[in-house]
């Protein structure tokens, strides 16, 4: 069973407690992000729905404030949606058609009822996404003014700051607060004396406002509003929104009204739903062939890659003497593959950095450096900070992002949008594949521009890339075999992934996927490096997943597999169809379609994702919402 967003009751008199309870019980949905609603529907139902679709932003606690006839009613609870639903049933707040909601990924203050949002004062209630960096200083000042604090959060400080500034003009108070707050924020706010209006502001954290018929919204992201409307506004830095039923007003940071551009969402509601799959992650793994074609096809002209549609002319690719790829997590692993591809094909030196390290190593960046930033969400704080640093240093910045209008997309000099559609599971899968496809096309472009490839050679490679998309479908067909095999990992504690070259880069992603969702400790090792210390950890209780898809490295990789096999390791071998490998060195062999070595990561990653997915399901893990994580990491 999966939850239908379109089943939101339109009538305010519907028994929404029963509705919400049943839905949450069935779907075990969790909430995250910030949202505000005002209109003619039951606000609580809309808020719950919206928070459900924003689940990937964190799930340590949840809460809502409703504008009732008796004033603002706030209910919040540590943990997931179910806890809040139970509280709602007990509290039975009066019906309301205006409210705000929040789901939290804890930063300041542990996950608890007290630290959960909204944070309310007599004058207002507020939800927040981001971090207020100067909250300690502000807290001291407000304490001297007589304010007391119940929680340890930076958000309560922001709420009380706004309370201290509010004299009946919400826009003026919000604009003044902005000048005093340091850090990043998106707030949605209810003022007790401003019924039916939700106020919102953003600086550094994503926020949209949206209009439907006789109703309006603010939200962290587009999927939250898709069941109701497709028309939305991306708030610019410092902009303030005042939304009332069917009306949105936008102000600049000085409080002056400004015009805005209306965007239309192209993602369908179905794309943001599970579509009959048990988990979003499984759905997103299966969507990879389609997501790849969506990303690649519009960028092929005359058999060659072309980024003209992205506003990147062919001349752009000439003249870079260094490339720096910067990203976090899975996106960084796509960058690791990109680095090998670009160096191999274009013969340009490439570095690949973790964004949080890049910023602090004083990187050497010049006007001839291309800084390539990769991010699914386009909001990852460290990647965004790296982008800003690169721009300050005068480098050219090119971002590969999945979310249109995200901060990274807006601030980079050039943007290549991946067309994976919404990725909801915290564990990134289809976003990685489409990032890889862009890495291939960028490498091809650079190689032609630097004279390393002729147009005909490039055409051949582009055709091979499309064959690799087909190969991802064949890799998906290994699903049942993988599900059966990983039964042995049910109680496993440790595992190693081994590979060389592209297989090592790929292993890093396989290892992250497995540890992230199944909680098995695992590490990816360059196959030749293990014997320099780490091999002491290999015993018969520590299995190895050996990735050996590279013909040129096969003999060496097989020697390394023998080293672990002879120490008792249970080896799952992932190799290319037709590779001649002694059956003594593995316990199980999974074969990938025989592509050119260069393209093996595309089908390869599908197998690694399925290993992680089935292992996590088997171990009873919360696949889409692994503990301690958030989809979009907007803190440094
Ligand atoms: O949105 P981004 O691609 O910038 O996110 C970067 C990482 O947080 C992300 O790739 C993370 O490692 C994955 N969700 C893990 O599966």
């Amino acid at each position: 069973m999966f939850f239908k967003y379109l089943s939101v009751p339109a009538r305010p008199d519907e028994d929404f407690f029963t509705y919400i309870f049943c839905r949450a019980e069935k779907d075990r949905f969790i909430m995250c992000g910030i949202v505000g609603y005002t209109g003619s529907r039951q606000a609580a139902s809309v808020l719950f729905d919206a928070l459900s679709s924003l689940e990937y932003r964190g799930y340590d606690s949840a809460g809502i404030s409703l504008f009732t006839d008796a004033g603002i009613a706030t209910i919040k609870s540590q943990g997931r949606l179910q806890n809040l639903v139970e509280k709602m049933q007990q509290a039975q707040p009066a019906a309301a058609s205006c409210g705000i909601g929040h789901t939290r990924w804890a930063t300041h203050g542990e996950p608890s009822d007290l630290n959960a949002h909204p944070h309310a004062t007599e004058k207002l209630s507020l939800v927040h996404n981001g971090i207020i960096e100067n909250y300690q200083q502000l807290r001291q000042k407000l304490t001297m003014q007589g304010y007391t604090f119940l929680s340890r959060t930076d958000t309560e400080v922001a709420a009380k700051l706004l309370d201290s500034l509010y004299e009946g003009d919400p826009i003026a108070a919000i604009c003044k607060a902005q000048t005093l707050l340091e850090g990043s924020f998106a707030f949605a706010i209810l003022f007790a004396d401003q019924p039916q209006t939700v106020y919102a502001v953003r600086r550094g954290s994503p926020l949209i406002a949206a209009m439907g018929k006789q109703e309006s919204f603010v939200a962290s992201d587009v999927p939250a509003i898709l069941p109701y409307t497709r028309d939305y506004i991306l708030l610019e830095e410092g902009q303030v929104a005042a939304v009332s039923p069917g009306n949105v007003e936008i102000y600049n940071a000085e409080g002056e009204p400004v015009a805005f551009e209306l965007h239309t969402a192209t993602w369908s509601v179905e794309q943001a739903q599970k579509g009959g799959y048990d988990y979003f992650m499984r759905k997103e793994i299966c969507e990879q062939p389609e997501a790849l074609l969506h990303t690649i096809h519009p960028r092929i002209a005359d058999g060659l890659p072309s980024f003209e549609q992205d506003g990147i002319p062919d001349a752009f690719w000439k003249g870079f003497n260094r490339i720096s790829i910067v990203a976090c997590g899975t996106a960084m692993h796509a960058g690791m593959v990109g680095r090998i591809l670009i160096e191999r094909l274009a013969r340009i030196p490439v570095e690949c950095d973790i964004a949080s390290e890049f910023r602090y190593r004083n990187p050497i960046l010049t006007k001839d450096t291309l800084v390539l930033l990769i991010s699914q969400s386009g909001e990852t704080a460290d990647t965004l900070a790296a982008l800003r640093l690169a721009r300050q240093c005068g480098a050219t910045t090119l971002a590969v992002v999945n979310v249109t209008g995200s901060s990274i997309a807006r601030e980079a000099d050039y943007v290549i949008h991946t067309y994976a559609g919404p990725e909801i599971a915290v564990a990134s899968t289809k976003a990685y594949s489409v990032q890889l496809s862009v890495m291939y096309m960028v490498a091809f472009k650079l190689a032609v521009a630097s004279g390393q490839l002729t147009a005909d050679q490039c055409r051949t490679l582009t055709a091979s890339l499309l064959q690799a998309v087909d190969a991802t479908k064949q890799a998906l067909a290994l699903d049942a075999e993988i599900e059966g095999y990983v039964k042995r990992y049910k109680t496993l504690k440790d595992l190693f992934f081994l590979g060389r070259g592209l297989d090592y880069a790929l292993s890093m992603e396989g290892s992250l996927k497995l540890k992230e969702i199944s909680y098995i400790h695992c590490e990816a090792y360059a196959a030749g490096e293990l014997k320099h210390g780490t091999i002491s950890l290999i015993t018969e209780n520590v299995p190895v997943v050996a990735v050996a898809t590279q013909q040129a490295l096969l003999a060496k990789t097989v020697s390394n597999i023998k080293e672990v096999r002879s120490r008792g390791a249970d080896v799952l071998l992932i190799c290319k169809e037709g590779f001649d490998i002694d059956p003594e060195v593995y316990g199980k062999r999974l074969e990938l379609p025989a592509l050119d070595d260069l393209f093996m990561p595309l089908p390869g990653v599908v197998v690694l994702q399925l290993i992680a997915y089935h292992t996590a399901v088997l171990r009873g893990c919360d696949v889409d919402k692994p503990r301690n994580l958030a989809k979009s990491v907007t803190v440094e």
Side-chain angles (χ1 to χ4, degrees):
M1 289 291 289
F2 63 94
F3 158 56
K4 297 250 188 303
Y5 289 79
L6 287 171
S7 64
V8 176
R11 291 174 297 123
D13 57 343
E14 183 146 349
D15 177 359
F16 69 89
F17 294 109
T18 311
Y19 165 74
I20 289 163
F21 180 77
C22 294
R23 202 196 68 207
E25 190 62 17
K26 271 191 244 157
D27 307 306
R28 294 187 293 131
F29 247 78
I30 301 143
M31 303 192 294
C32 57
I34 76 169
V35 64
Y37 173 77
T38 180
S40 55
R41 301 176 202 249
Q42 272 289 358
S45 292
V46 179
L47 295 174
F48 270 72
D49 269 356
L51 290 173
S52 298
S53 70
L54 293 170
E55 57 172 330
Y56 60 89
R57 306 185 79 85
Y59 31 81
D60 288 327
S61 64
I64 62 173
S65 280
L66 298 171
F67 221 122
T68 72
D69 288 345
I72 298 175
T74 296
I75 302 166
K76 50 192 189 173
S77 177
Q78 180 186 346
R80 300 186 172 192
L81 173 63
Q82 185 58 38
N83 299 359
L84 183 65
V85 169
E86 281 161 17
K87 274 205 167 175
M88 292 277 293
Q89 285 182 309
Q90 284 158 18
Q92 293 274 326
S97 54
C98 176
I100 54 175
H102 185 267
T103 184
R104 177 169 187 244
W105 188 70
T107 55
H108 293 62
E110 73 282 1
S112 69
D113 284 8
L114 219 50
N115 290 334
H117 302 205
H119 287 279
T121 71
E122 276 186 16
K123 295 183 196 168
L124 58 93
S125 181
L126 170 151
V127 290
H128 171 211
N129 172 30
I131 288 187
I132 306 302
E133 285 165 1
N134 60 338
Y135 80 107
Q136 298 281 27
Q137 298 93 302
L138 291 171
R139 187 176 166 129
Q140 273 172 14
K141 282 187 193 155
L142 289 162
T143 304
M144 281 157 60
Q145 288 174 33
Y147 282 96
T148 53
F149 292 86
L150 301 170
S151 78
R152 294 177 49 215
T153 64
D154 51 340
T155 305
E156 189 184 1
V157 174
K160 292 195 169 152
L161 174 70
L162 199 53
D163 181 284
S164 75
L165 300 170
Y166 185 60
E167 290 171 349
D169 182 345
I171 305 293
I174 293 169
C175 290
K176 177 70 184 162
Q178 283 210 71
T179 65
L180 302 173
L181 292 168
E182 288 169 19
S184 62
F185 48 81
F187 296 124
I189 311 152
L190 298 179
F191 288 90
D193 59 357
Q194 307 284 335
Q196 297 307 316
T197 307
V198 178
Y199 293 87
V201 58
R202 82 165 281 244
R203 188 168 79 204
S205 299
L207 190 69
I208 60 161
M211 267 176 294
K213 207 173 162 197
Q214 291 304 307
E215 58 188 354
S216 299
F217 308 78
V218 295
S220 298
D221 204 352
V222 173
I225 54 115
L226 278 183
Y228 314 99
T229 179
R230 301 189 155 274
D231 296 331
Y232 68 96
I233 298 147
L234 288 163
L235 268 76
E236 300 288 340
E237 287 288 277
Q239 285 188 338
V240 182
V243 311
S244 51
N247 187 41
V248 172
E249 289 165 11
I250 305 287
Y251 300 84
N252 64 18
E254 285 71 50
E256 296 153 349
V258 290
F260 53 79
E261 190 185 346
L262 212 53
H263 300 265
T264 302
T266 51
W267 293 351
S268 68
V269 175
E270 291 69 32
Q271 274 180 300
Q273 290 181 342
K274 282 190 203 163
Y277 289 90
D278 289 340
Y279 291 98
F280 278 111
M281 182 180 177
R282 186 170 178 76
K283 173 177 178 255
E284 290 161 6
I285 289 173
C286 293
E287 284 172 348
Q288 288 177 110
E290 195 190 352
L292 281 161
L293 290 179
H294 278 150
T295 303
I296 299 168
H297 263 152
R299 296 182 171 111
I300 297 184
D302 187 25
L304 294 166
S306 163
F307 293 101
E308 296 279 346
Q309 70 140 35
D310 305 283
I312 307 175
D314 280 356
F316 169 85
W317 303 101
K318 289 200 169 90
F320 296 114
N321 59 18
R322 266 184 56 229
I323 295 173
S324 210
I325 303 180
V326 188
C328 299
T330 289
M332 196 277 293
H333 295 155
M336 297 285 290
V337 173
R339 171 186 162 179
I340 295 173
L341 299 177
I342 296 169
E343 289 198 333
R344 193 176 293 178
L345 294 173
R347 308 305 297 155
I348 300 171
V350 185
E351 293 170 330
C352 181
D353 277 85
I354 296 168
S356 54
E357 292 293 316
F358 175 78
R359 300 173 55 195
Y360 301 109
R361 73 170 171 85
N362 199 4
I364 301 164
L365 302 171
T366 70
K367 65 175 181 36
D368 299 322
T369 313
L370 173 64
V371 178
L372 188 53
L373 303 120
I374 310 174
S375 175
Q376 187 283 132
S377 62
E379 298 294 347
T380 300
D382 285 313
T383 311
L384 181 58
L387 162 66
R388 289 175 178 160
L389 174 69
R391 281 175 60 92
Q392 272 165 25
C393 296
T396 303
T397 56
L398 169 61
V400 179
V401 294
N402 195 44
V403 179
T404 319
S406 56
S407 303
I408 292 174
R410 289 201 273 176
E411 291 190 29
D413 297 324
Y414 296 89
V415 185
I416 298 173
H417 286 102
T418 50
Y419 301 132
E423 191 181 64
I424 308 294
V426 165
S428 194
T429 54
K430 60 178 179 173
Y432 173 84
S433 298
V434 294
Q435 286 160 357
L436 283 195
S437 69
V438 172
M439 292 299 105
Y440 282 101
M441 290 189 285
V442 163
F444 300 167
K445 279 303 283 189
L446 287 164
V448 172
S450 63
Q452 295 291 326
L453 278 184
T454 64
D456 277 348
Q457 286 168 325
C458 186
R459 264 191 204 96
T460 307
L461 287 173
T462 307
S464 301
L465 177 61
L466 289 168
Q467 276 166 17
V469 177
D470 268 345
T472 60
K473 292 184 199 153
Q474 294 169 55
L476 283 169
L478 295 170
D479 184 69
E481 214 177 327
I482 292 168
E483 183 177 11
Y485 182 78
V486 299
K487 293 213 162 83
R488 66 190 60 209
Y489 295 163
K490 185 162 173 43
T491 56
L492 195 67
K493 291 204 164 41
D494 306 283
L495 181 145
F496 279 87
F497 287 82
L498 296 186
R500 284 173 177 258
L502 283 169
D503 289 338
Y504 172 47
L506 188 61
S507 295
M508 293 172 83
E509 177 54 12
S511 174
L512 175 62
K513 266 328 57 110
L514 185 63
K515 75 182 94 177
E516 179 179 20
I517 62 168
S518 76
Y519 313 145
I520 294 172
H521 165 251
C522 46
E523 285 183 55
Y525 247 78
E529 179 64 12
L530 201 69
K531 57 183 169 296
H532 296 287
T534 310
I535 200 165
S536 63
L537 294 175
I538 299 289
T539 67
E540 56 192 19
N541 299 320
V542 182
V544 167
V545 175
V547 187
T549 69
Q550 303 294 299
Q551 178 69 60
L553 300 168
L554 188 61
K556 294 274 188 291
T557 307
V558 169
S559 308
N560 301 136
I561 300 172
K562 281 184 183 158
E563 290 157 12
V564 294
R565 185 74 169 157
S566 62
R567 279 147 185 100
D570 178 16
V571 174
L572 168 61
L573 174 71
I574 300 167
C575 67
K576 202 192 284 191
E577 200 175 15
F579 269 5
D580 182 14
I581 301 173
D582 178 0
E584 290 293 309
V585 308
Y586 54 83
K588 166 83 179 166
R589 170 177 170 136
L590 289 173
E591 288 194 340
L592 299 170
L595 304 169
D596 181 313
D597 282 7
L598 206 61
F599 298 97
M600 291 310 290
L602 275 170
V605 77
V606 173
V607 167
L608 298 181
Q609 292 163 350
L610 288 171
I611 290 172
Y613 171 77
H614 285 300
T615 306
V617 171
L618 184 76
R619 289 161 73 97
C621 298
D622 194 344
V623 172
D624 284 340
K625 290 145 293 204
R627 69 187 175 213
N628 304 339
L629 287 168
K631 179 74 175 163
S632 185
V633 184
T634 51
V635 294
E636 291 175 24

